[in-house]
Amino acid sequence: MMIVPAGVKVHLALGVTDMRKGMDGLATLVQEVLKKDPFSGHLFAFRGTRANLVKLLFWDGNGLCLFTKRIDRGHFVWPRMTVPGESIPLSPAQLAMLLEGIDWRHPERVWKPAKAG
């Protein structure tokens, strides 16, 4: 479970990233490929080739943080890359679903009210 602080934007880096990269390599990707500021306080998510590994890079105001999750079964749902070096925004709820291995693009509601009152 990942708790994203209020006001933090989540950016999902499209495509595949070399998961051998550490925080400095990923910060360089954010700056040079995504054209964003890695020290902005935003959270950046990257996926490996097999789609079973995700790395999250986050500047907490005091230093860079690197979170890694490897999913045991299945894979992380990632959109197809349309433009190289592009990222898409996610809500904290979508990030939480992604990290749980849920298809965050089409979540299914399990309950719908029948009538008011």
Side-chain angles (χ1 to χ4, degrees):
M1 181 171 116
M2 175 84 188
I3 298 174
V4 179
V8 171
K9 293 181 182 179
V10 179
H11 301 276
L12 188 69
L14 299 181
V16 175
T17 302
D18 181 354
M19 288 289 107
R20 295 174 294 181
K21 291 187 183 299
M23 61 179 64
D24 293 328
L26 293 174
T28 300
L29 279 178
V30 169
Q31 191 170 338
E32 295 179 0
V33 177
L34 300 180
K35 305 293 186 208
K36 301 198 183 296
D37 180 7
F39 308 109
S40 62
H42 298 179
L43 190 145
F44 299 92
F46 302 91
R47 177 190 82 123
T49 304
R50 289 187 233 148
N52 68 341
L53 188 66
V54 164
K55 287 189 176 182
L56 306 173
L57 185 70
F58 174 65
W59 172 260
D60 69 355
N62 193 22
L64 278 174
C65 303
L66 181 62
F67 303 95
T68 304
K69 181 169 183 178
R70 183 180 64 217
I71 197 166
D72 289 332
R73 293 189 188 136
H75 64 279
F76 294 109
V77 176
W78 221 259
R80 294 182 190 254
M81 182 172 57
T82 55
V83 178
E86 189 176 87
S87 68
I88 61 168
L90 290 185
S91 70
Q94 288 172 319
L95 177 65
M97 285 186 277
L98 182 144
L99 292 175
E100 290 298 320
I102 298 170
D103 187 348
W104 54 272
R105 300 167 303 173
H106 306 289
E108 188 175 317
R109 304 267 183 223
V110 295
W111 178 82
K112 186 168 99 176
K115 62 179 182 174

